[in-house]
Amino acid sequence: MNQVQPHSLFTDFDISLFKAGKHFRLYEKLGAHLIEVNGVKGVYFAVWAPSARSVSVVGDFNYWIQGEHQLHVRWDSSGIWEGFIPGVDKGTKYKYKIQSNNNGIITEKADPFALYCQKPPETASVIWDLEYKWKDKKWMDTRKDKNGLDKPFSVYEVHLGSWKRNLEQDRSLTYLELAEDLVNYVKETGFTHVEFMPIMEYPYDPSWGYQLVGYFAPTSRFGKPQDFMFLVDKLHQAGIGVILDWVPSHFPDDAHGLGFFDGSNLYEHPDRRKGYHPDWKSLVFNYGRNEVRSFLISNALFWLDHYHADGLRVDAVASMLYLDYSRKEGEWEPNIFGGRENLDTISFLKDFNEAVYSNYDGVQTIAEESTSFPMVSRPTSVGGLGFGMKWMMGWMHDTLQYFKRESIYRKYHQNDLTFSMTYAFSENFMLPLSHDEVVYGKKSILGRMTGDEWQQFANLRLLYGYMFTHPGTNLLFMGAEFGQRAEWKFDGSLDWHLLQYGYHEGTRKCISDLNELYKTNPALFEKQFSPEGFEWINYSDHQNAVLSYIRKGNEDKENLIVVCNFTPVVRENYRIGLPSKGKLTEIFNSDKVEYSGSGVTNKKAIKIDKEPWNGRDFSAALTLPPLGVSVFKVSLK
């Protein structure tokens, strides 16, 4: 085996961009690249380690002996070590052995830019390539028309390891198996997108993937990188978009990871008040360091580029934005203006969003941000952070709190439901019922519902009907769509056997029909982020616990009338005010018998009378199902 030969993929311009925090394609330079130099095949290695005295590549090819293959440090003070090693092949395992200038500390690290990693608990990086023949051109050419803010976004949130298991072998499904089972199920149930909880390599299963080590490698738990590409490809061919959870908020301090990488605080902030997360006992990126910004934004673009992701849901944004997040007095330092906002984070998030939207058409970034930080989903050009959407955490908490209440008491708490409309259009909100709501003793979504079994499922269908007709987009965690009874377990499987029972299959059928309702009625998505797309009919009938409202599209003829009855009492001849004469035709009812409901529906078209009601000139008398949602189409004839 020959020694390391001088070679570089970097230009002076690359280095200047890297130092300025503006190099967003670092994955084309740093890492391990299978190349040919002067007719000789091998691997070019490059790693950023500015505090290193020496850097060696150790691996299968040199029996993991330090010093056998030492990289060369660049002359330009970039801190990049590089070199070409002939004869190294795809599939070779390797790490970087780094001796630091700081007291000679030696670290042994996985490659931050590795494309593939050993299956945990093994920790080496693996030489790999990204060769794959995509077959999703139709999707990629048209996704701009499917991922717009005026298009349906009904998202199925999935944890790959526990969606379904191979029971005979007691293991999770592989990427290739999921490309058949998951794709068929999502298509059948009608969701427009899937959102994968983090699939980047992570060492610790109970972290659910939220403590990453291999930022550029899909986890090897379920197969090879090309296998994951195949899964994305199959979803796209089925007309389903793919959103990836992305975690730039923190990372673990595992010995082979990014922490203390070259014997210094390279990726993490050196001040523990900014560089350590007390809740998760993890390290926080130094968002003010240009090279770290290049690393993170390059990583975001990498998944959009090489894995055809249609969106990135950014985890724990609130923890990034506030210097005092989960910190007591004296444990944080104000910014230069005396405030609690992390100015470096704000600048970084704006750069990230600008890079994503300027480089890729038809993608979205979504912030999991739980506070009232302003303009999260507004363009950077007007002072916003630049995200496409933001999770509506307030709606989630208020709504679940309401549904926990016995129906007899709901008339005293109508504000829990109506309050969301006071701020619904301050951001582009996605309504989430996510994985965080079905763990740690919170119960499943079904388990939050009150009443006997019939009422619990009726409440669940009512919740979903209200959710799908509320302004904004939707996200539902796996299992909630069929009424999973137990809390989610990351090391188990969803209880698929429940679908043999009427209540559960009925709930899944209800979700399928709600997805169809959402996708085929422009009134539910064309103006889903605009106050022009919503109008109350009556929000003050707390005595009967009934809400009624209009959802509007670009054309009046597309308008829908929605009436929600939050009690188990059937309400005959319930009158609502309407803006014009004509007829109402019921197009959805959550109490259908096929959903295991009681079958109280409005079977015939309902004439709109010239009788003033709710401050309007016209009105109609409806039959409201118990614990049900009714949706009507208006015919002006």
Side-chain angles (χ1 to χ4, degrees), residues 132 134 136 158-161 163 173-184 186 194-197 199 218-219 222-244 307-308 310:
Y132 179 80
W134 289 89
D136 63 348
V158 176
H159 177 262
L160 289 180
W163 181 72
L173 299 188
T174 65
Y175 293 130
L176 297 180
E177 291 168 332
L178 288 161
E180 181 173 348
D181 289 16
L182 177 64
V183 173
N184 289 339
V186 173
V194 295
E195 178 183 310
F196 291 132
M197 291 169 65
I199 54 87
T219 179
F222 315 120
K224 298 178 173 64
Q226 283 77 6
D227 297 341
F228 181 62
M229 293 177 186
F230 183 76
L231 171 57
V232 175
D233 205 353
K234 283 295 186 181
L235 284 162
H236 282 173
Q237 291 174 51
I240 300 162
V242 177
I243 301 167
L244 301 182
Y307 286 88
H308 290 200
D310 303 293

Side-chain angles (χ1 to χ4, degrees), residues 312-479:
L312 298 171
R313 177 265 193 187
V314 183
D315 182 60
V317 173
S319 74
M320 301 167 64
L321 286 172
Y322 295 102
L323 295 165
D324 63 344
Y325 187 90
S326 279
R327 298 182 188 277
K328 300 175 183 176
E329 188 174 348
E331 295 179 349
W332 64 282
E333 182 181 41
N335 62 37
I336 58 174
F337 302 110
R340 52 195 283 258
E341 297 81 13
N342 188 323
L343 302 180
D344 288 335
T345 292
I346 293 170
S347 171
F348 161 71
L349 290 174
K350 289 181 177 181
D351 281 358
F352 152 71
N353 280 309
E354 288 175 0
V356 168
Y357 283 107
S358 63
N359 280 280
Y360 297 94
D361 281 337
V363 301
Q364 295 292 345
T365 61
I366 305 164
E368 189 230 352
E369 203 286 308
S370 55
T371 75
S372 57
F373 192 93
M375 302 178 70
V376 171
S377 58
R378 294 293 179 261
T380 59
S381 59
V382 297
L385 292 183
F387 286 93
M389 287 177 255
K390 169 182 169 173
W391 275 21
M392 199 177 191
M393 310 292 275
W395 172 88
M396 178 181 69
H397 293 138
D398 291 347
T399 301
L400 290 177
Q401 183 64 31
Y402 180 88
F403 273 87
K404 285 169 60 177
R405 301 184 190 280
E406 295 288 343
S407 57
I408 193 172
Y409 301 117
R410 288 179 175 176
K411 61 185 178 182
Y412 304 113
H413 299 279
Q414 190 120 322
N415 185 58
D416 285 350
L417 296 180
T418 59
F419 180 66
S420 64
M421 291 310 305
T422 66
Y423 64 95
F425 305 109
S426 61
E427 300 275 5
N428 298 336
F429 279 120
M430 174 177 280
L431 280 58
L433 292 174
S434 71
H435 65 274
D436 278 326
E437 300 312 305
V438 293
V439 289
Y440 299 143
K442 294 179 181 178
K443 300 182 179 179
S444 65
I445 301 298
L446 174 65
R448 310 281 190 90
M449 302 297 106
T450 188
D452 59 23
E453 185 177 43
W454 186 92
Q455 290 189 359
Q456 278 190 307
F457 278 94
N459 269 308
L460 190 65
R461 299 190 303 270
L462 169 60
L463 167 62
Y464 294 156
Y466 168 61
M467 175 184 185
F468 273 74
T469 57
H470 188 288
T473 56
N474 311 301
L475 176 140
L476 202 60
F477 183 57
M478 63 183 200

Side-chain angles (χ1 to χ4, degrees), residues 89-383:
D89 296 324
K90 179 179 175 179
T92 301
K93 296 186 286 293
Y94 72 103
K95 283 185 180 180
Y96 294 118
K97 200 92 165 183
I98 304 170
Q99 184 173 18
S100 175
N101 278 322
N102 300 335
N103 301 319
I105 293 170
I106 296 177
T107 60
E108 187 172 290
K109 296 291 185 178
D111 186 349
F113 285 82
L115 303 176
Y116 188 31
C117 301
Q118 277 189 297
K119 185 176 179 180
E122 301 298 322
T123 59
S125 303
V126 182
I127 303 293
W128 210 253
D129 61 37
L130 296 173
E131 295 297 321
Y132 179 80
K133 188 174 181 179
W134 289 89
K135 298 178 181 177
D136 63 348
K137 186 177 187 302
K138 181 179 178 181
W139 170 269
M140 297 297 285
D141 287 347
T142 60
R143 71 174 178 179
K144 189 175 181 180
D145 298 325
K146 298 174 182 177
N147 287 339
L149 295 177
D150 59 349
K151 304 299 181 185
F153 256 79
S154 181
V155 182
Y156 187 55
E157 186 188 23
V158 176
H159 177 262
L160 289 180
S162 58
W163 181 72
K164 184 185 287 186
R165 294 181 68 84
N166 181 312
L167 298 180
E168 292 182 1
Q169 301 177 19
D170 190 26
R171 61 168 176 80
S172 301
L173 299 188
T174 65
Y175 293 130
L176 297 180
E177 291 168 332
L178 288 161
E180 181 173 348
D181 289 16
L182 177 64
V183 173
N184 289 339
Y185 181 78
V186 173
K187 187 173 183 179
E188 177 188 357
T189 312
F191 291 95
T192 64
H193 295 72
V194 295
E195 178 183 310
F196 291 132
M197 291 169 65
I199 54 87
M200 301 81 178
E201 194 61 83
Y202 56 98
Y204 187 52
D205 284 345
S207 79
W208 312 337
Y210 286 99
Q211 300 221 5
L212 308 182
V213 167
Y215 269 76
F216 291 82
T219 179
S220 54
R221 288 168 173 80
F222 315 120
K224 298 178 173 64
Q226 283 77 6
D227 297 341
F228 181 62
M229 293 177 186
F230 183 76
L231 171 57
V232 175
D233 205 353
K234 283 295 186 181
L235 284 162
H236 282 173
Q237 291 174 51
I240 300 162
V242 177
I243 301 167
L244 301 182
D245 260 10
W246 186 54
V247 191
S249 49
H250 66 121
F251 57 93
D253 61 359
D254 291 61
H256 66 294
L258 297 178
F260 208 56
F261 188 81
D262 60 355
S264 71
N265 301 119
L266 188 60
Y267 289 92
E268 67 271 25
H269 199 287
D271 185 341
R272 291 278 285 188
R273 294 173 297 181
K274 297 180 180 179
Y276 180 76
H277 200 296
D279 283 355
W280 303 315
K281 295 178 173 54
S282 54
L283 304 175
V284 179
F285 285 104
N286 185 353
Y287 305 108
R289 189 164 191 171
N290 285 339
E291 295 89 345
V292 173
R293 293 162 77 104
S294 288
F295 169 81
L296 286 171
I297 297 176
S298 290
N299 183 243
L301 268 56
F302 171 83
W303 294 100
L304 301 172
D305 186 2
H306 284 289
Y307 286 88
H308 290 200
D310 303 293
L312 298 171
R313 177 265 193 187
V314 183
D315 182 60
V317 173
S319 74
M320 301 167 64
L321 286 172
Y322 295 102
L323 295 165
D324 63 344
Y325 187 90
S326 279
R327 298 182 188 277
K328 300 175 183 176
E329 188 174 348
E331 295 179 349
W332 64 282
E333 182 181 41
N335 62 37
I336 58 174
F337 302 110
R340 52 195 283 258
E341 297 81 13
N342 188 323
L343 302 180
D344 288 335
T345 292
I346 293 170
S347 171
F348 161 71
L349 290 174
K350 289 181 177 181
D351 281 358
F352 152 71
N353 280 309
E354 288 175 0
V356 168
Y357 283 107
S358 63
N359 280 280
Y360 297 94
D361 281 337
V363 301
Q364 295 292 345
T365 61
I366 305 164
E368 189 230 352
E369 203 286 308
S370 55
T371 75
S372 57
F373 192 93
M375 302 178 70
V376 171
S377 58
R378 294 293 179 261
T380 59
S381 59
V382 297

